[in-house]
Amino acid sequence: NWHSWREQIPFLAEKYRVVAIDMRGYNLSDKPQNIEDYKVETLVEDLKALIYALDAETATIIAHDWGGAVAWSFAILYPEMIEKLVIMNAPHPLGYLNALKTSRQLLNSWYMLFFQLPILPEIFMSLNDYKFMANSLTKSSANPENAFSDEDISYFLSGIKRPGAVRAMINYYRALLRYMPKREIEPIEVPTLVIWGEKDFFLRKDVNNELEKYVPNVKIKYFPEASHWVHKDDPEGVNQALAEFLF
């Protein structure tokens, strides 16, 4: 949802033409209901089409979580279209697969297996006026009072309550396990900054082990007091890291 970048948009707009999107299935974007519509390769093509639609041939891409997963794959498939890449709390695909071999990361990723069930996840997520969805934001943040205002929660929930939105969001996880890429993954040579909140409830820091092997031109900036929502927990610190890398 574009709204999560509220603290970064005006800051970056001082130097860049900035476009923040609602990804497929989220907020105002279309919500196809087939699982195969959320394959990573398909989401990558959405991003490619967007860049061309903006009359551009290249872009600097800044992405978080599922956006980060798509951005990693985009950098693997279309490196010539990226000037610089910034990823926040989203593991490189090979780093994540290696981390899943450990029991601790596997336990942290339990929800991915739950989401493979039909119908039940959609029912669970919508109970009590989507209370679980709101709590998943505030309770997993390291700085909930500042990271997610009442306005933020209201805006995010308004998008989640749109017809077909919950199924679309869960289909990201269903497609990930059903359509794992089978191609070899080439090293990413694009200049890359990884920003990582160390208090991530979902992803362990060690998913970044050996990241330099997959991304030779990478810098990693850790935020010890930030969570998975690093750009919400510490927007000023994140903006400073972006300025040092981009400006």
Side-chain angles (χ1 to χ4, degrees):
N1 187 316
W2 75 270
H3 191 80
S4 69
W5 299 105
R6 277 197 315 152
E7 289 84 0
Q8 282 72 49
I9 292 171
F11 177 77
L12 292 168
E14 295 177 7
K15 301 285 186 179
Y16 280 87
R17 176 192 183 193
V18 179
V19 177
I21 68 170
D22 292 332
M23 290 178 66
R24 175 184 293 226
Y26 284 86
N27 201 37
L28 300 180
S29 286
D30 289 347
K31 299 164 181 61
Q33 295 297 287
N34 295 321
I35 294 173
E36 58 265 29
D37 291 322
Y38 295 88
K39 293 189 294 186
V40 170
E41 294 93 337
T42 301
L43 302 170
V44 164
E45 294 304 314
D46 285 351
L47 181 54
K48 181 182 179 182
L50 173 67
I51 293 172
Y52 286 150
L54 294 169
D55 294 324
E57 296 182 357
T58 63
T60 288
I61 298 176
I62 302 173
H64 169 261
D65 194 68
W66 264 112
V70 174
W72 280 127
S73 293
F74 189 89
I76 292 165
L77 294 171
Y78 300 112
E80 71 282 359
M81 294 185 68
I82 301 180
E83 295 176 14
K84 289 186 177 182
L85 177 66
V86 180
I87 303 288
M88 302 185 194
N89 284 74
H92 183 282
L94 290 181
Y96 188 58
L97 288 175
N98 289 335
L100 282 176
K101 296 175 183 177
T102 68
S103 58
R104 296 182 71 179
Q105 181 57 59
L106 198 59
L107 286 172
N108 281 32
S109 300
W110 66 269
Y111 57 92
M112 294 181 62
L113 299 177
F114 172 64
F115 286 158
Q116 303 308 308
L117 298 173
I119 303 174
L120 184 60
E122 283 90 332
I123 295 173
F124 175 74
M125 301 290 259
S126 60
L127 290 174
N128 295 326
D129 197 30
Y130 301 85
K131 184 176 181 179
F132 176 83
M133 301 291 287
N135 287 345
S136 70
L137 297 174
T138 57
K139 292 188 176 180
S140 60
S141 169
N143 189 12
E145 292 184 359
N146 292 327
F148 295 105
S149 66
D150 291 342
E151 177 191 350
D152 289 331
I153 297 299
S154 177
Y155 193 88
F156 291 138
L157 287 180
S158 70
I160 291 167
K161 292 177 181 180
R162 292 181 180 275
V166 172
R167 175 166 295 177
M169 294 162 64
I170 294 172
N171 278 347
Y172 274 79
Y173 297 92
R174 291 171 174 149
L176 178 66
L177 296 190
R178 297 187 192 191
Y179 301 102
M180 295 292 288
K182 295 182 172 61
R183 67 189 304 278
E184 293 294 325
I185 296 181
E186 299 292 332
I188 296 171
E189 303 291 345
V190 173
T192 302
L193 172 65
V194 170
I195 292 175
W196 200 272
E198 292 190 42
K199 292 185 176 180
D200 192 321
F201 181 79
F202 309 102
L203 296 164
R204 293 179 54 78
K205 176 182 175 181
D206 55 15
V207 298
N208 296 318
N209 289 351
E210 300 185 331
L211 183 59
E212 292 83 359
K213 183 166 65 176
Y214 315 129
V215 192
N217 192 9
V218 67
K219 298 178 181 178
I220 305 178
K221 172 71 173 178
Y222 287 107
F223 285 76
E225 298 304 317
S227 72
H228 181 74
W229 319 104
V230 58
H231 59 307
K232 300 288 290 176
D233 285 335
D234 189 356
E236 292 184 3
V238 166
N239 286 354
Q240 181 61 37
L242 291 174
E244 292 172 0
F245 182 66
L246 297 177
F247 295 173

